[in-house]
């Protein structure tokens, strides 16, 4: 038996869904997406324009061919033309873990998990209104009738949550009832309709990564820094209704590493598709979702016509081949190209094979910053270096606000987001360090042939506006010298020659370039979110035993209204828009756009918590 729209109607669940202004539905099993489109069409026809739907699909089949077959068969049965075109442009890529798709101007959020069903449900961190349970494989049917699995469903349910299940045997019924589900309907053909029966308390497994308290409504925020990190979070907040002031220490935006002519945008591939790969895949999708419409409207500069990642040595070659074998890349994500095919893709001689990422490409960071800051709710002030930041609480209302002091002015806001680029010293105890990088700009006279696409080699090279190209960037630690160096130009030229031997004819003394300082972290992931109260963190966690049961530790305490987006390193184009969404979700009390394990991966307290959990109190 399968769960269809008619089944939901006969059980009375469809009518409940169509009346909900904010509804979350989870479908567990092999979805053909037909049910998603039918429920979405019903819901949006009956609700107001401000209503929101979050639909979650757990799919155990990691088979891209099977997925494409399902997508092809869907069109005649459900989606209207405009929605179908939007769906096609955003359809999921079959990779392990989570995919996020936003439809209908953000009214509908579709989250898809590919892989082990128990792991996927355990990862979930939103309260579900309606569960639809119909796995197809014998193994997954067994998993879905275990107490561990049903407990995870129970954990993510509301008091009014309903569950539709295909399981009608006595053992399954007894387990449902034991774990808090009351049976409303037991239909011999349509299955079961159950509802949560009574409240049950579930404790978090990582209280130190619990989310900060949200604002009741949009207010005034100050963003410190007008690079990619600052501009993207300013835009996201402005879109959510906040009045945003951006304070930039320099006399213009994009003055740091965000000022390069072009940056490469592509997923991070590791042989085991680890936490970093999964996080940056989410970040890559967030960036595509934001910049694609701007590219189509010619609001920003760039080209997402693909990127070739060359295997520059035997170690690199082995790592890529292992990743392809272990993860199983679908062709719309990446596929292998030999040197001759790479040459055709790039437009000239290439000496190495590699991976081609068809969704990747290059972007012009200054144009992205300009597009973000060009918003009616954003005001930007330059030459405003923040020298002091203090928190104040009004005695009458107990409302907290922040005061920022620059040399020329005093500023106040309800919330502050610290988004400076590279910071030479540790900010609030965060291990952020600047890493110098020099890029080399190339005009048309320096190029024997025109580069058609972005390419990653020992560094990266990309076309850029007006026939220019850019190559680099060096990694120079611990130097903080901002001077452009002829020696570093030569290093960039040598890196290119190793892979594209006849592309350039240039001498270092004829070239221009720029130096930027990329803020980096020890685990090569950015630092994003609310800043904890450091004294309280030390007292509640770091000075306590690290071996107590999790429920004995209190939830994290934050400095109210103070956030950070920093440490984006060389992958800022793949991380800043996801960071902006995360911070905005925290401030607005919305569901996080990523699951708890990925949320924790970039949490500002993670370094101190890891050390404490590993070694105990200092």
């Amino acid at each position: 038996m399968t769960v269809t729209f008619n089944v939901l109607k006969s059980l009375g669940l469809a009518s409940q869904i169509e009346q909900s202004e904010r509804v979350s539905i989870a479908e567990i099993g092999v979805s053909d997406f037909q049910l998603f489109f039918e429920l979405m069409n019903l819901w949006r026809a009956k609700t107001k324009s401000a209503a929101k739907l979050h639909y979650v699909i757990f799919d155990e089949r990691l088979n891209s061919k099977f997925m494409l077959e399902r997508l092809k068969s869907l069109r005649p049965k459900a989606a209207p033309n405009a929605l179908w075109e939007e769906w096609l442009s955003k359809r999921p890529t079959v990779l392990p873990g989570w995919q996020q798709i936003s439809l209908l101007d953000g009214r509908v959020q579709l989250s898809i998990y590919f892989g082990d069903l128990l792991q996927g449900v355990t990862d979930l961190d939103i309260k579900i209104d309606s569960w639809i349970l119909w796995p197809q494989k014998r193994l997954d049917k067994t998993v879905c009738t275990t107490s561990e699995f049903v407990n995870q469903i129970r954990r993510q349910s509301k008091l009014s949550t309903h569950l539709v299940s295909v399981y009608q045997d006595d053992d399954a019924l007894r387990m449902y009832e034991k774990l808090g589900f009351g049976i409303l309907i037991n239909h011999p053909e349509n299955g079961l309709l159950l509802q949560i029966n009574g409240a049950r308390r579930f404790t978090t497994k990582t209280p130190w990564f619990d989310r900060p308290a949200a604002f009741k409504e949009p207010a005034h925020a100050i963003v410190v820094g007008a690079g990619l990190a600052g501009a993207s979070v300013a835009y996201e907040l402005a879109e959510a209704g906040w009045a945003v002031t951006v304070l930039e220490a320099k006399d213009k935006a994009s003055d740091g590493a965000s000022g390069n002519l072009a940056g490469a945008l592509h997923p991070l591939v590791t042989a085991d598709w680890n936490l970093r790969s999964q996080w940056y895949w989410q970040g890559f999708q967030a960036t595509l979702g934001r910049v694609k419409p701007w590219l189509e409207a010619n609001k920003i500069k760039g080209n997402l016509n693909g990127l070739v990642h060359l295997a520059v040595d035997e170690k690199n070659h082995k790592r890529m081949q292992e990743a392809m074998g272990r993860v199983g890349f679908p062709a719309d994500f990446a596929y292998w190209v030999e040197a001759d095919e790479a040459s055709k893709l790039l437009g000239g001689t290439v000496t190495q094979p590699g991976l081609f990422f068809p969704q990747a490409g290059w972007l012009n960071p200054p144009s992205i910053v300009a597009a973000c800051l060009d918003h009616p709710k954003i005001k930007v002030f330059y030459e405003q270096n923040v020298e002091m930041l203090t928190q104040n609480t009004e005695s009458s209302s107990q409302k907290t606000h922040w005061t920022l002091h620059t040399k020329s002015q005093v500023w106040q806001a309800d919330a502050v987001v610290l988004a400076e680029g590279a910071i030479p010293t540790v900010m609030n105890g965060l291990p952020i360090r600047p890493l110098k990088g020099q890029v080399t700009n190339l005009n048309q006279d320096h190029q024997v042939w025109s580069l058609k696409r972005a390419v990653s080699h020992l560094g990266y090279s990309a076309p850029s506006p007006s026939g220019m190209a850019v190559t680099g960037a060096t990694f120079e630690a611990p130097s903080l010298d901002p001077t452009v160096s002829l020696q570093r130009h030569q290093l960039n030229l040598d890196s290119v020659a190793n892979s594209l031997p006849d592309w350039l004819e240039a001498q270092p003394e004829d070239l221009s370039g720029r130096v930027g300082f990329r803020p980096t972290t020890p685990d090569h992931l950015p630092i994003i979110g609310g800043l904890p109260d450091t004294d309280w963190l030390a007292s509640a966690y770091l000075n306590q035993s690290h071996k107590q049961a999790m429920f004995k530790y209190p939830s994290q305490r934050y400095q109210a209204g103070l956030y950070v987006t920093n440490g984006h390193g060389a992958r800022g184009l793949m991380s800043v828009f996801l960071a902006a969404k995360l911070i905005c979700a925290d401030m607005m009390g919305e569901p996080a756009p990523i699951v708890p394990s990925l949320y924790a991966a970039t949490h500002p307290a993670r370094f101190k918590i890891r050390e404490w959990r590993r070694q105990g109190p200092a």
Side-chain angles (χ1 to χ4, degrees), residues 2 130 160 279 298 444 502 524 612:
T2 59
S130 300
S160 59
W279 196 96
N298 293 318
Q444 291 176 316
D502 62 354
H524 306 292
W612 168 62

Side-chain angles (χ1 to χ4, degrees), residues 297 304 315 352 403 514 545 594 600 615 618:
L304 298 179
K315 180 180 178 182
Q352 296 133 350
T403 301
R514 64 192 312 276
S545 168
I594 55 177
Q615 299 181 0

Side-chain angles (χ1 to χ4, degrees), residues 579-617:
K581 287 180 176 293
L582 281 168
I583 290 174
C584 189
D586 277 348
M587 293 171 69
M588 298 295 291
E590 298 283 353
I594 55 177
V595 294
S597 58
L598 297 182
Y599 181 89
T602 57
H603 193 280
R606 69 185 187 270
F607 299 102
K608 291 182 178 179
I609 292 297
R610 287 173 189 165
E611 184 177 2
W612 168 62
R613 297 295 293 169
R614 184 173 62 250
Q615 299 181 0

Side-chain angles (χ1 to χ4, degrees), residues 75-95:
R75 176 63 186 97
K77 300 176 183 178
N81 288 337
L83 181 58
W84 178 248
E85 292 300 325
E86 184 180 8
W87 164 257
L88 284 179
S89 70
K90 299 178 178 179
R91 65 182 184 272
T93 300
V94 184
L95 286 167

Side-chain angles (χ1 to χ4, degrees), residues 2 27 44 66 74 118 191 195 203 210 236 338 346 367 433 493 522 528 589 612:
T2 59
E27 183 183 343
R44 69 178 185 141
F66 178 74
L74 174 64
L118 177 58
Q195 186 173 19
T203 57
D210 285 353
E236 198 70 33
E338 296 298 337
L346 295 176
S367 68
R433 296 292 186 273
L493 294 176
I528 303 162
W612 168 62

